Coordinates of all heavy atoms in Angstrom, one line a residue:
G235 N -98.2 55.7 -24.9 CA -99.5 55.4 -25.4 C -99.5 54.9 -26.8 O -98.5 54.4 -27.3
R236 N -100.7 54.9 -27.5 CA -100.9 54.3 -28.8 C -99.9 54.9 -29.8 O -99.7 56.2 -29.8 CB -102.3 54.6 -29.2 CG -102.7 54.1 -30.6 CD -104.1 54.3 -30.8 NE -104.3 55.7 -31.3 CZ -105.3 56.1 -31.9 NH1 -106.4 55.3 -32.2 NH2 -105.4 57.4 -32.3
Q237 N -99.2 54.1 -30.6 CA -98.2 54.5 -31.5 C -98.4 53.7 -32.9 O -99.0 52.6 -32.9 CB -96.8 54.1 -31.0 CG -96.5 54.7 -29.7 CD -96.0 56.1 -29.8 OE1 -95.0 56.4 -30.6 NE2 -96.6 57.0 -29.1
T238 N -97.9 54.3 -34.0 CA -97.9 53.5 -35.2 C -96.7 52.6 -35.2 O -95.7 52.8 -34.4 CB -97.8 54.5 -36.4 OG1 -96.5 55.1 -36.4 CG2 -98.9 55.4 -36.5
I239 N -96.6 51.7 -36.1 CA -95.5 50.8 -36.1 C -94.2 51.6 -36.4 O -93.2 51.3 -35.8 CB -95.7 49.7 -37.2 CG1 -96.8 48.7 -36.7 CG2 -94.4 48.9 -37.5 CD1 -97.2 47.7 -37.7
K240 N -94.3 52.6 -37.3 CA -93.2 53.4 -37.6 C -92.7 54.2 -36.4 O -91.5 54.2 -36.1 CB -93.5 54.4 -38.8 CG -92.4 55.2 -39.2 CD -92.7 56.1 -40.3 CE -91.6 57.0 -40.8 NZ -91.9 57.8 -41.9
Q241 N -93.6 54.7 -35.6 CA -93.2 55.5 -34.4 C -92.5 54.5 -33.4 O -91.5 54.9 -32.8 CB -94.4 56.1 -33.8 CG -95.0 57.3 -34.5 CD -96.3 57.7 -33.9 OE1 -97.2 56.9 -33.6 NE2 -96.5 59.0 -33.8
I242 N -93.0 53.3 -33.2 CA -92.4 52.4 -32.3 C -91.0 52.0 -32.8 O -90.1 52.0 -32.0 CB -93.3 51.1 -32.2 CG1 -94.6 51.5 -31.5 CG2 -92.5 50.1 -31.4 CD1 -95.6 50.3 -31.6
S243 N -90.9 51.7 -34.1 CA -89.6 51.4 -34.7 C -88.6 52.4 -34.5 O -87.4 52.1 -34.1 CB -89.8 51.1 -36.2 OG -88.6 50.8 -36.8
Q244 N -89.0 53.7 -34.6 CA -88.0 54.8 -34.4 C -87.7 55.0 -32.9 O -86.6 55.3 -32.6 CB -88.6 56.1 -35.0 CG -88.7 56.1 -36.5 CD -89.4 57.3 -37.1 OE1 -90.2 57.9 -36.4 NE2 -89.2 57.6 -38.3
A245 N -88.7 54.7 -32.1 CA -88.5 54.9 -30.6 C -87.5 53.9 -30.0 O -86.7 54.1 -29.2 CB -89.8 54.9 -29.9
V246 N -87.7 52.6 -30.5 CA -86.9 51.5 -30.0 C -85.7 51.1 -30.8 O -85.0 50.1 -30.5 CB -87.8 50.3 -29.6 CG1 -88.9 50.7 -28.7 CG2 -88.4 49.7 -30.9
L247 N -85.5 51.8 -31.9 CA -84.3 51.5 -32.8 C -84.3 50.1 -33.3 O -83.3 49.5 -33.4 CB -83.0 51.9 -32.1 CG -82.9 53.3 -31.6 CD1 -81.6 53.5 -30.8 CD2 -83.0 54.3 -32.6
I248 N -85.5 49.6 -33.7 CA -85.6 48.3 -34.4 C -86.2 48.5 -35.7 O -87.2 49.3 -35.8 CB -86.5 47.3 -33.6 CG1 -85.9 47.1 -32.2 CG2 -86.6 46.0 -34.3 CD1 -86.9 46.3 -31.2
N249 N -85.6 47.9 -36.8 CA -86.2 48.2 -38.1 C -87.6 47.7 -38.3 O -88.0 46.7 -37.5 CB -85.3 47.7 -39.2 CG -85.2 46.2 -39.3 OD1 -86.2 45.5 -39.3 ND2 -84.0 45.7 -39.4
T250 N -88.4 48.2 -39.2 CA -89.8 47.9 -39.3 C -90.0 46.4 -39.6 O -91.0 45.9 -39.2 CB -90.5 48.8 -40.3 OG1 -89.8 48.8 -41.5 CG2 -90.7 50.2 -39.8
G251 N -89.1 45.8 -40.4 CA -89.3 44.4 -40.7 C -89.2 43.5 -39.4 O -90.0 42.6 -39.2
S252 N -88.3 43.8 -38.6 CA -88.1 43.0 -37.3 C -89.2 43.4 -36.3 O -89.6 42.5 -35.5 CB -86.8 43.3 -36.7 OG -85.7 42.9 -37.6
I253 N -89.7 44.6 -36.3 CA -90.6 45.0 -35.3 C -92.0 44.3 -35.5 O -92.7 44.0 -34.6 CB -90.8 46.6 -35.4 CG1 -91.4 47.1 -34.0 CG2 -91.8 47.0 -36.4 CD1 -90.3 47.4 -33.0
T254 N -92.3 44.0 -36.8 CA -93.5 43.3 -37.1 C -93.6 41.9 -36.4 O -94.6 41.5 -35.8 CB -93.7 43.1 -38.6 OG1 -93.7 44.4 -39.2 CG2 -95.0 42.4 -38.9
Y255 N -92.4 41.2 -36.4 CA -92.3 39.9 -35.7 C -92.5 40.1 -34.2 O -93.3 39.3 -33.6 CB -90.9 39.3 -36.0 CG -90.7 38.1 -35.1 CD1 -91.3 36.8 -35.4 CD2 -89.8 38.2 -34.0 CE1 -91.0 35.7 -34.5 CE2 -89.6 37.1 -33.2 CZ -90.2 35.9 -33.5 OH -89.9 34.8 -32.7
V256 N -91.9 41.1 -33.6 CA -92.1 41.3 -32.2 C -93.5 41.7 -31.8 O -94.1 41.1 -30.9 CB -91.1 42.5 -31.7 CG1 -91.4 42.9 -30.3 CG2 -89.7 42.1 -32.0
I257 N -94.1 42.5 -32.6 CA -95.5 42.9 -32.4 C -96.4 41.7 -32.6 O -97.4 41.5 -31.7 CB -95.9 44.1 -33.4 CG1 -95.2 45.3 -32.9 CG2 -97.4 44.2 -33.4 CD1 -95.3 46.5 -33.9
D258 N -96.2 40.9 -33.6 CA -97.0 39.7 -33.7 C -97.0 38.8 -32.5 O -98.0 38.3 -32.0 CB -96.5 38.8 -35.0 CG -96.9 39.5 -36.3 OD1 -97.7 40.4 -36.3 OD2 -96.3 39.0 -37.3
K259 N -95.8 38.6 -32.0 CA -95.6 37.7 -30.8 C -96.3 38.3 -29.6 O -96.9 37.6 -28.8 CB -94.1 37.6 -30.5 CG -93.7 36.5 -29.5 CD -92.2 36.2 -29.5 CE -91.4 37.5 -29.2 NZ -90.1 37.2 -28.8
L260 N -96.1 39.7 -29.4 CA -96.7 40.3 -28.2 C -98.3 40.3 -28.4 O -99.0 40.2 -27.4 CB -96.2 41.7 -28.1 CG -94.7 41.8 -27.6 CD1 -94.2 43.3 -27.8 CD2 -94.5 41.3 -26.2
E261 N -98.8 40.5 -29.6 CA -100.2 40.4 -29.8 C -100.7 39.0 -29.5 O -101.8 38.9 -28.9 CB -100.5 40.8 -31.2 CG -102.0 40.9 -31.5 CD -102.3 41.4 -32.9 OE1 -101.6 41.0 -33.9 OE2 -103.3 42.2 -33.1
K262 N -100.0 38.0 -29.9 CA -100.4 36.6 -29.7 C -100.5 36.4 -28.2 O -101.4 35.6 -27.7 CB -99.4 35.6 -30.3 CG -99.8 34.2 -30.2 CD -98.8 33.3 -30.8 CE -99.1 31.9 -30.6 NZ -98.1 30.9 -31.2
N263 N -99.6 37.0 -27.4 CA -99.7 36.9 -25.9 C -100.6 37.8 -25.3 O -100.6 38.0 -24.0 CB -98.3 37.0 -25.4 CG -97.4 35.9 -25.7 OD1 -97.8 34.7 -25.9 ND2 -96.1 36.2 -26.0
E264 N -101.4 38.6 -26.1 CA -102.4 39.5 -25.6 C -101.9 40.6 -24.8 O -102.5 41.2 -23.9 CB -103.5 38.8 -24.8 CG -104.2 37.7 -25.7 CD -105.2 36.9 -24.9 OE1 -105.3 37.0 -23.6 OE2 -106.0 36.2 -25.5
L265 N -100.6 41.1 -25.1 CA -100.0 42.2 -24.4 C -100.2 43.5 -25.1 O -100.0 44.6 -24.5 CB -98.5 41.9 -24.2 CG -98.2 40.6 -23.3 CD1 -96.7 40.3 -23.3 CD2 -98.8 40.8 -21.9
L266 N -100.5 43.4 -26.4 CA -100.8 44.6 -27.2 C -101.9 44.2 -28.2 O -102.1 43.0 -28.5 CB -99.6 45.2 -27.8 CG -98.7 44.4 -28.7 CD1 -99.2 44.2 -30.1 CD2 -97.3 45.1 -28.8
R267 N -102.4 45.2 -28.9 CA -103.4 45.0 -30.0 C -103.2 46.0 -31.1 O -102.7 47.1 -30.8 CB -104.8 45.0 -29.5 CG -105.3 46.4 -29.0 CD -106.8 46.3 -28.6 NE -107.0 47.3 -27.6 CZ -107.0 47.1 -26.3 NH1 -106.7 45.9 -25.8 NH2 -107.2 48.0 -25.4
R268 N -103.6 45.6 -32.3 CA -103.6 46.5 -33.4 C -104.9 47.1 -33.6 O -105.9 46.4 -33.4 CB -103.2 45.7 -34.7 CG -101.8 45.2 -34.8 CD -101.6 44.4 -36.0 NE -100.3 44.1 -36.4 CZ -99.6 43.1 -36.0 NH1 -100.1 42.1 -35.3 NH2 -98.3 42.9 -36.4
S269 N -105.0 48.3 -34.2 CA -106.2 48.9 -34.6 C -106.0 49.8 -35.8 O -104.9 50.4 -35.9 CB -106.9 49.7 -33.4 OG -106.1 50.8 -33.0
H270 N -106.9 49.8 -36.7 CA -106.8 50.6 -37.9 C -107.2 52.1 -37.7 O -108.1 52.3 -36.9 CB -107.6 50.1 -39.1 CG -107.1 48.8 -39.6 ND1 -106.1 48.7 -40.5 CD2 -107.5 47.5 -39.3 CE1 -105.8 47.4 -40.8 NE2 -106.6 46.7 -40.1
C271 N -106.5 53.0 -38.3 CA -106.9 54.4 -38.2 C -108.2 54.6 -39.0 O -108.4 54.1 -40.1 CB -105.8 55.2 -38.9 SG -106.1 57.0 -39.0
K272 N -109.1 55.4 -38.4 CA -110.4 55.6 -39.1 C -110.2 56.4 -40.4 O -111.0 56.2 -41.3 CB -111.3 56.4 -38.1 CG -111.8 55.6 -36.9 CD -112.8 56.4 -36.1 CE -112.0 57.4 -35.3 NZ -112.9 58.2 -34.4
D273 N -109.3 57.3 -40.4 CA -109.1 58.2 -41.5 C -108.2 57.6 -42.6 O -108.3 58.1 -43.8 CB -108.5 59.5 -41.1 CG -109.4 60.2 -40.0 OD1 -110.6 60.1 -40.2 OD2 -108.8 60.9 -39.1
D274 N -107.3 56.7 -42.3 CA -106.4 56.2 -43.3 C -106.1 54.7 -42.9 O -105.4 54.4 -42.0 CB -105.1 56.9 -43.3 CG -104.1 56.5 -44.4 OD1 -104.3 55.5 -45.0 OD2 -103.1 57.3 -44.6
R275 N -106.8 53.8 -43.6 CA -106.7 52.4 -43.3 C -105.3 51.8 -43.5 O -105.0 50.7 -43.0 CB -107.7 51.6 -44.2 CG -109.1 51.9 -43.8 CD -110.1 50.8 -43.7 NE -109.8 49.5 -43.7 CZ -109.8 48.7 -42.6 NH1 -110.2 49.2 -41.5 NH2 -109.5 47.4 -42.7

Side-chain angles (χ1 to χ4, degrees):
R236 184 175 79 162
Q237 303 277 306
T238 65
I239 292 174
K240 183 177 180 179
Q241 289 172 316
I242 295 168
S243 180
Q244 291 170 340
V246 301
L247 305 176
I248 300 173
N249 69 47
T250 51
S252 299
I253 204 89
T254 301
Y255 169 76
V256 174
I257 289 170
D258 287 346
K259 190 169 57 164
L260 292 170
E261 185 177 39
K262 184 179 177 184
N263 291 327
E264 301 176 348
L265 299 173
L266 56 77
R267 70 177 148 266
R268 290 176 166 93
S269 61
H270 290 279
C271 175
K272 292 184 284 185
D273 301 324
D274 186 347
R275 295 223 8 110

